[in-house]
Amino acid sequence: MSERSTAESSSIEAQSAFALPQRLNAKANPALIAEDERHFAAMAAALERQTADVATRLSARRQTHEALGQGIVERDAEIRRLSARLKLLESYGIDLCLGRLVLASDAEGTPSGSEQVVYIGRIGLLDEDGRPLLVDWRTPAAAPFFAATHADPAGLLSRRRYQWARGRITDYWDEVFSADGLEDPNERAALDYQSSFIASLGSSRSGAMRDVLATIQGDQDAIIRADAGVPLVVNGGPGTGKTVVALHRAAYLMYSQPRLKDRRGGVLFVGPHRPYASYVANVLPSLGESEVAVCTLDDLVPGVLDGIGELPGESSAHASALKSDLRMIDAVKRAISIYEEAPARDLTVDTPLGKVHVSAADWEDAFASVEHGLPHNEARDQIWETLLDLLSEKSEALGAPEKVRGALALNITLSKALNRAWPLLSASDLVSDLWEVPALLRLCAPWLNPEDRAVLRRPEGTGSEWTTDDLPLLDAARHLLGDETSSRRLRVREAERAAEREYRAEVAEALMASNYNGSGLMSQLQQSDLQEALVDDPARWADESPVLDGPFAHVIVDEAQELTDMQWQMLLRRCPSRHFTIVGDRAQARGGFAESWEERLTRVGVSLPGSGAVHSATLSVNYRTPSEVMDVAAPVVLSVLPDADVPTSVRSTGQPVERRSVGDLAEVLVQWEASHTEGVACVIASGAWLRDSAQVGGGVSRGTDRISWLTPTLAKGLEFDLVVLVQPSAFGSGVEAAVDTYVAMTRATQRLVILE
């Protein structure tokens, strides 16, 4: 158990759960908090018991040994679940509680003439007698806590939210939904329901995203709990909580949809870039969910862009448009088909049993045996097996078919002939050939004109110089080809199984020989089914395909307005059910977004024509960006996109946007660090400026963890207390430059400084 959790659980009964500052003495009235004190004391005791119980169960499970593969899989899954639960319990204490609601006497499920107090938590928690101390925030019983409004109280008399710091309550706020909800005048000291929300918005940021579960608003909660069976689009401008909604929806779906668990699909959460993925990494575990796969599009094609870092290779606009054309998938298919041509000449091979004649018809029959849709590299094994069967059957004169087959399987001449006709291919080699061999590109992509081909031309031997626009093509090629190492792994696996089968047969024979009457269990060892079961271990022969290849039951994609048609195909391969949650802002699309969301999703295949309209929801309130910043940022994007959905800010800091010279950068950062012991800042500039300033030093040390240096693209989805925007005029002109400037400005939660 962590030091924090141990200290808290051992001392909670000796101290109050509340640590209210002196200015909030009125809220410390026992009439207001006595019930909470009793409840939190019971929670502390239950948490201590449960933490000890989970730790004991985890330790015991780690020490168990399973003989069979399925038992190993189940043990490992349980260890993961228990570890995640223990980590959550040790990360929190009684601050697992988000707030409480009071149900009216006539609310559904509440006994007549009584009121029911329900405490809402990140997870569910029971006392020793099985009574609920916390109701998991994802359950239907907790829904009114987030959804209730004065127009629709959802059966609530009141709602209380807590502000926690270091495991104790430093403030709380009550919202009353009935005129007689608070009968005691003293209770009115807590009436300030908006403060919990506004206070959370104004607090300092850190290098990781904070979950805002306790302050989820009604419109956001409705999106989180929306039907998962049809594509859902969540459109909203900067600071409207799109990412918050997306992450909470992922946790909610995993809890509310049992079909998503137990290796039956699960949820994939796709973010725009790696700084974003690191930023949100801790949110889902804090919401009680640790089984959602979080990645970026780059991660879907592992190992390609690992060495590029935060400033990946960039294609020209022309090359990017060409590579994003869906017809490029046809080019990949044509390139593969070039390597799938049956030999037209007969072949005679020598074996220890004699000569075997392989006719062109034999090759044609073997090639025709490939199942439709089977990846190229996997199909090669099917061709090989079919060819061996055909040749062994027609060569009966040389001996028993199994002996002829065995001799042919070891024949190098026959194997080389198949390798020439149907070679094993890698995705990287295939796509490299398209860019480096002009004749191949001309043959496979006849719609390209000479200028297009020249733009795509890459000097031969530079296959490591991939760009993000190459990833969808590499992914398409990888799925069409299959794993080029699968054939070798299959042969190794079969050889291992054959050797083990032979060994176990010898052992069984020896045991039978020692048991003279041949009865009982020993005699069963002669049965082939039992011998095969002893050899077959599901854990050893488990699916070795990459985890991110899916398929997934539901995919949530953030900043989806940036996805190209080809990138959408990457996601569709991983979610054939088309159960998507699409989160984005058309006004933040760097390349423009002239279509509606429904038009875009229908065109790329997420929503099939005639399958029903895409469900959509709009978030229009900016909770993050101060009005002072939005007043400057809005005209930038509206100048190029007059119909952009610019959200309305609900908060003000009183700090106007500052404009200074680039030479003041060091001074701005040094002064901010000196005056702010908490919070994070970001210098946002063009990739060229960041590279140049890193080389010459720029007069500023980059050694602090509290200051990031990012391009507008890599800052998307993140937020910082201070944003220093360097030379936005260098971004150029047009929609892309305006969007980059708009995105950069709206990352600020407190202060924006523009340097020219």
Side-chain angles (χ1 to χ4, degrees):
M1 186 183 295
S2 69
E3 181 179 346
R4 172 186 179 276
S5 297
T6 303
E8 178 181 286
S9 61
S10 63
S11 63
I12 187 64
E13 295 186 5
Q15 66 176 6
S16 169
F18 290 81
L20 301 171
Q22 188 173 0
R23 62 181 176 80
L24 298 178
N25 279 343
K27 288 188 175 184
N29 189 325
L32 291 172
I33 64 174
E35 184 175 8
D36 282 352
E37 292 277 32
R38 290 190 294 271
H39 194 85
F40 289 133
M43 272 186 59
L47 283 169
E48 186 172 11
R49 288 192 303 270
Q50 185 168 133
T51 303
D53 175 64
V54 173
T56 300
R57 289 163 55 198
L58 178 59
S59 177
R61 201 68 176 103
R62 282 174 170 162
Q63 295 177 36
T64 59
H65 298 281
E66 300 289 346
L68 296 178
Q70 187 59 36
I72 294 173
V73 171
E74 293 175 355
R75 182 199 65 189
D76 291 347
E78 185 176 0
I79 287 174
R80 287 195 300 271
R81 287 194 295 269
L82 291 172
S83 297
R85 180 79 171 188
L86 184 61
K87 182 178 180 180
L88 185 64
L89 292 172
E90 291 182 341
S91 298
Y92 292 90
I94 58 174
D95 50 345
L96 281 168
C97 182
L98 305 169
R100 76 180 199 190
L101 54 85
V102 179
L103 292 167
S105 59
D106 58 350
E108 183 178 352
T110 304
S112 178
S114 65
E115 298 175 357
Q116 182 182 359
V117 179
V118 179
Y119 287 81
I120 310 300
R122 298 175 182 278
I123 57 174
L125 183 68
L126 304 176
D127 66 11
E128 284 185 298
D129 299 322
R131 291 187 296 266
L133 293 170
L134 283 181
V135 173
D136 192 296
W137 70 273
R138 294 167 287 190
T139 62
F145 180 78
F146 306 99
T149 64
H150 286 278
D152 181 11
L156 300 192
L157 278 180
S158 66
R159 167 172 57 197
R160 173 172 291 186
R161 304 179 193 262
Y162 304 108
Q163 176 177 288
W164 296 91
R166 293 177 292 279
R168 300 179 71 189
I169 297 170
T170 57
D171 204 350
Y172 68 94
W173 300 270
D174 285 334
E175 181 178 3
V176 175
F177 298 97
S178 170
D180 57 353
L182 292 179
E183 298 179 356
D184 187 339
N186 292 326
E187 296 178 347
R188 301 185 184 278
L191 283 179
D192 189 6
Y193 76 92
Q194 282 290 345
S195 295
S196 60
F197 182 50
I198 300 300
S200 70
L201 298 176
S203 59
S204 296
R205 267 53 184 175
S206 67
M209 186 179 186
R210 298 174 300 114
D211 79 271
V212 293
L213 184 52
T215 55
I216 287 290
Q217 301 299 287
D219 57 342
Q220 296 172 331
D221 185 66
I223 296 170
I224 291 168
R225 299 173 190 268
D227 179 18
V230 292
L232 171 66
V233 175
V234 183
N235 191 76
T240 54
K242 300 187 300 298
T243 298
V244 166
V245 166
L247 289 164
H248 287 67
R249 179 163 171 78
Y252 173 76
L253 290 177
M254 287 295 288
Y255 180 88
S256 63
Q257 305 285 328
R259 65 183 178 82
L260 301 183
K261 289 184 175 289
D262 299 328
R263 302 173 66 86
R264 284 179 285 179
V267 173
L268 175 67
F269 189 101
V270 182
H273 47 70
R274 288 172 183 172
Y276 171 99
S278 300
Y279 181 60
V280 304
N282 293 323
V283 175
L284 286 165
S286 75
L287 301 177
E289 182 52 62
S290 59
E291 297 183 30
V292 174
V294 180
C295 72
T296 69
L297 285 169
D298 295 0
D299 298 325
L300 298 181
V301 188
V304 176
L305 298 183
D306 287 349
I308 292 179
E310 292 189 350
L311 296 173
E314 298 177 355
S315 304
S316 68
H318 188 179
S320 179
L322 294 173
K323 292 179 180 180
S324 299
D325 189 329
L326 288 177
R327 289 178 294 180
M328 292 306 296
I329 295 180
D330 293 330
V332 172
K333 291 178 179 178
R334 293 182 185 186
I336 295 173
S337 68
I338 292 174
Y339 298 97
E340 299 176 345
E341 185 174 354
R345 296 182 179 181
D346 293 356
L347 174 70
T348 300
V349 297
D350 292 318
T351 74
L353 301 176
K355 294 183 181 296
V356 175
H357 181 70
V358 188
S359 68
D362 292 330
W363 285 112
E364 289 287 352
D365 289 343
F367 276 45
S369 70
V370 174
E371 297 175 16
H372 177 71
L374 195 64
H376 170 92
N377 290 329
E378 296 174 25
R380 183 191 180 284
D381 289 321
Q382 187 170 350
I383 293 172
W384 179 247
E385 295 299 321
T386 302
L387 185 64
L388 294 180
D389 289 341
L390 289 172
L391 297 179
S392 59
E393 288 176 4
K394 75 180 233 180
S395 304
E396 294 179 352
L398 298 180
E402 60 270 17
K403 289 187 177 180
V404 176
R405 196 181 195 283
L408 288 168
L410 299 175
N411 190 276
I412 296 177
T413 301
L414 185 62
S415 178
K416 285 184 175 180
L418 177 59
N419 286 339
R420 289 191 297 270
W422 195 293
L424 292 173
L425 301 172
S426 73
S428 58
D429 287 345
L430 187 80
V431 179
S432 289
D433 286 347
L434 282 173
W435 302 157
E436 297 174 7
V437 182
L440 180 64
L441 184 60
R442 184 172 60 253
L443 177 64
C444 296
W447 59 88
L448 296 177
N449 59 40
E451 180 187 356
D452 294 336
R453 293 195 296 271
V455 167
L456 295 174
R457 178 85 168 90
R458 187 174 66 184
E460 190 172 352
T462 58
S464 61
E465 296 180 5
W466 299 110
T467 72
T468 54
D469 294 313
D470 291 313
L471 294 180
L473 277 164
L474 290 166
D475 190 61
R478 194 164 62 91
H479 281 78
L480 290 168
L481 290 171
D483 185 357
E484 70 267 26
T485 65
S486 62
S487 180
R488 181 183 60 82
R489 289 203 312 270
L490 180 63
R491 290 195 296 271
V492 170
R493 179 185 303 175
E494 288 302 321
E496 289 178 352
R497 293 186 66 178
E500 187 169 352
R501 191 180 294 112
E502 182 178 354
Y503 170 73
R504 289 180 184 257
E506 292 175 355
V507 172
E509 185 177 349
L511 289 172
M512 285 293 300
S514 67
N515 186 17
Y516 69 94
N517 61 11
S519 62
L521 177 62
M522 292 299 180
S523 64
Q524 297 180 30
L525 292 174
Q526 289 185 313
Q527 300 178 15
S528 59
D529 288 346
L530 178 58
Q531 290 186 10
E532 189 66 21
L534 292 173
V535 172
D536 194 18
D537 184 343
R540 291 177 59 189
W541 320 120
D543 183 12
E544 298 176 4
S545 60
V547 173
L548 294 179
D549 276 355
F552 291 90
H554 197 97
V555 171
I556 299 175
V557 53
D558 200 0
E559 302 293 348
Q561 74 279 351
E562 297 293 355
L563 266 61
T564 66
D565 292 359
M566 287 287 285
Q567 288 171 331
W568 273 114
Q569 303 313 302
M570 297 173 71
L571 299 181
L572 282 166
R573 291 185 196 104
R574 290 159 175 83
C575 190
S577 67
R578 292 176 169 80
H579 290 172
F580 281 88
T581 298
I582 297 110
V583 183
D585 177 16
R586 294 170 63 243
Q588 293 186 65
R590 300 183 75 233
F593 200 124
E595 305 165 287
S596 68
W597 276 110
E598 187 169 354
E599 290 170 338
R600 168 68 60 86
L601 297 178
T602 300
R603 182 168 57 75
V604 300
V606 172
S607 175
L608 297 179
S611 63
V614 173
H615 291 190
S616 62
T618 299
L619 297 170
S620 58
V621 178
N622 188 334
Y623 301 114
R624 175 184 67 214
T625 315
S627 58
E628 292 86 353
V629 173
M630 281 305 300
D631 289 344
V632 176
V636 173
V637 72
L638 290 173
S639 67
V640 294
L641 299 171
D643 62 341
D645 294 324
V646 176
T648 302
S649 294
V650 297
R651 52 187 290 267
S652 170
T653 61
Q655 298 187 67
V657 174
E658 303 172 51
R659 296 185 182 273
R660 302 175 63 167
S661 68
V662 176
D664 294 334
L665 175 60
E667 180 183 349
V668 170
L669 296 179
V670 170
Q671 288 181 349
W672 177 81
E673 280 197 290
S675 59
H676 293 77
T677 57
E678 296 181 345
V680 291
C682 186
V683 177
I684 303 180
S686 68
W689 188 91
L690 290 173
R691 281 188 289 264
D692 292 344
S693 65
Q695 293 171 2
V696 301
V700 183
S701 170
R702 299 192 181 185
T704 174
D705 294 333
R706 296 175 59 205
I707 301 177
S708 300
W709 302 71
L710 300 172
T711 63
T713 300
L714 291 178
K716 188 168 288 186
L718 310 182
E719 56 185 34
F720 307 91
D721 297 282
L722 166 68
V723 168
V724 182
L725 177 55
V726 180
Q727 293 181 331
S729 58
F731 295 166
S733 59
V735 173
E736 183 174 308
V739 168
D740 281 349
T741 304
Y742 179 61
V743 168
M745 288 180 171
T746 54
R747 301 309 95 197
T749 66
Q750 300 291 338
R751 181 184 172 199
L752 171 63
V753 180
I754 302 175
L755 306 181
E756 284 288 6

